[in-house]
Amino acid sequence: MATIHDRYELPPEKAALHRRAVRLEWWTIAFFVVAITALAVVLGQSQAMKAAWVEDILALAPPIAFLVANRYRNRPPDDEHPYGHHRSVAIAFLASALALLALGGYILVESVLRLVQGERPPIGLVEVFGHTMWLGWPMIAVLLATMVPAILLGRAKTKLAVQLHDKVLHADAAMNRADWLTAGAAVLGILAIGAGLWWADAVAAIVISADIVRDGLRTTRTAVADLMDRRPRTVTDNRPHPLPTRLTSLTLDQPWVADAWIRLREEGHVFVGEMLVVPEPDTEHLVERLAELGRLLRAEDWRMHDIAVVPVPEIRR
């Protein structure tokens, strides 16, 4: 028996958290627009500095993807989309993951090439209010100024991502982490150039970009697996989500259920799927019992958006 769940919005307390996440993403876009402009002014020839600038440009992808998905995820089902539009969140998650992977790959390849070719990035002089100074100091000042907001934004998004089961937010938090790590590496690279260690600039960029590639590969694999209807996973550590086990136990606790098996998939923030049950012989009022079990399963967790409870003669494992 299929049950149709007519709730498309998040629960009130989760909806309030989601509105906060939307505000954070708008603040993120505003911050990175300012950061990109400031870094462009003092870019120079440092490879690590360029890595930080490119990273900030690509860091716009996750918040934009989040905000676009937010416009579609709560649209009700229609003839063309009978399951609704919740998977727009999963598509946004994939876009964020690919942006992270592209960022790390681009910086890694270019940094290795520069190191192999032995390029020595010059950092010239700049005139500020009639005084000539080394361009490295304005570079470092801008980089340090961008690190603190990135750290704060990333921490706030990580917490919200867990509470909302939002992998787009978590990927965005990873991008913010990559941003301040890249900025820190760029500072070290610029100081190393000033000390005459020309190779340290490229090495710093390689180390950070390799870490970004690792995060990008892991996140992309997770995003693709979710789109292929893999068993739901937790946001932070990518382990099997405990909800299917809890729902199966709840079902087996029903006195009229002899056996049960569940399959769930992620649709953005929420889960949908089927619960197959083997009723005890001579179970009375089966239709009503199936309907009540469906209500119990959906009430167990806010993520359980829609589930079909289906009676079967046996379950083959």
Side-chain angles (χ1 to χ4, degrees), residues 275-286:
M275 175 68 78
L276 307 183
V277 297
V278 179
E280 293 284 359
D282 303 323
T283 298
E284 297 182 353
H285 309 295
L286 180 60

Side-chain angles (χ1 to χ4, degrees), residues 96-210:
S96 302
L98 290 175
L100 195 65
L101 182 59
L103 156 72
Y106 171 78
I107 298 172
L108 179 60
V109 171
E110 187 170 14
S111 300
V112 170
L113 288 176
R114 293 210 172 193
L115 182 62
V116 171
Q117 294 168 359
E119 293 190 15
R120 298 172 180 263
I123 297 182
L125 302 176
V126 63
E127 188 170 320
V128 180
F129 301 116
H131 298 280
T132 301
M133 64 183 302
W134 183 50
L135 183 58
W137 297 123
M139 287 181 177
I140 292 172
V142 171
L143 288 168
L144 292 177
T146 63
M147 288 178 66
V148 175
I151 293 172
L152 296 178
L153 287 169
R155 289 183 176 178
K157 290 173 190 175
T158 298
K159 183 178 180 180
L160 286 173
V162 174
Q163 294 172 313
L164 292 170
H165 192 78
D166 195 313
K167 294 181 178 178
V168 184
L169 267 183
H170 192 260
D172 194 11
M175 182 70 88
N176 294 151
R177 174 179 174 272
D179 177 72
W180 69 260
L181 283 175
T182 304
V187 169
L188 295 177
I190 293 167
L191 291 174
I193 293 174
L197 303 176
W198 63 269
W199 49 265
D201 179 59
V203 169
I206 289 172
V207 171
I208 296 303
S209 59

Side-chain angles (χ1 to χ4, degrees), residues 29 41 50 52 61 65 68 78 82 92 107 133 169-170 173 191-192 201-202 210 239 246 251 291 300 304:
I29 291 175
V41 172
K50 184 177 181 180
V68 171
D78 52 38
I107 298 172
M133 64 183 302
L169 267 183
H170 192 260
L191 291 174
D201 179 59
R239 294 182 179 179
R246 282 169 37 204
T251 300
E300 178 67 15
M304 196 60 255

Side-chain angles (χ1 to χ4, degrees), residues 24-108:
L24 270 177
E25 295 296 44
W26 280 114
W27 278 110
T28 299
I29 291 175
F31 161 67
F32 277 113
V33 168
V34 174
I36 290 167
T37 303
L39 287 173
V41 172
V42 297
L43 192 57
Q45 299 298 315
S46 167
Q47 181 63 14
M49 189 72 178
K50 184 177 181 180
W53 183 62
V54 173
E55 197 279 338
D56 282 355
I57 294 175
L58 288 179
L60 289 172
I64 292 174
F66 178 91
L67 294 172
V68 171
N70 185 55
R71 294 184 61 86
Y72 288 91
R73 67 181 181 83
N74 283 321
R75 292 185 178 184
D78 52 38
D79 292 339
E80 292 295 321
H81 303 90
Y83 292 99
H85 298 76
H86 300 287
R87 193 160 278 190
S88 61
V89 178
I91 296 172
F93 178 39
L94 178 59
S96 302
L98 290 175
L100 195 65
L101 182 59
L103 156 72
Y106 171 78
I107 298 172
L108 179 60

Side-chain angles (χ1 to χ4, degrees), residues 205-285:
I206 289 172
V207 171
I208 296 303
S209 59
D211 182 68
I212 296 172
V213 168
R214 180 181 62 85
D215 287 342
L217 285 172
R218 183 175 64 248
T219 308
T220 300
R221 284 197 300 265
T222 300
V224 172
D226 288 348
L227 287 172
M228 294 179 66
D229 294 337
R230 181 180 61 173
R231 175 181 177 177
R233 299 270 173 154
T234 56
V235 172
T236 54
D237 52 15
N238 198 34
R239 294 182 179 179
H241 201 282
L243 183 58
T245 301
R246 282 169 37 204
L247 296 181
T248 301
S249 297
L250 187 153
T251 300
L252 292 173
D253 286 342
Q254 306 303 308
W256 58 273
V257 175
D259 198 4
W261 180 79
I262 192 172
R263 59 184 177 191
L264 296 181
R265 66 180 185 271
E266 294 188 50
E267 296 279 354
H269 299 98
V270 297
F271 301 161
V272 300
E274 300 83 34
M275 175 68 78
L276 307 183
V277 297
V278 179
E280 293 284 359
D282 303 323
T283 298
E284 297 182 353
H285 309 295

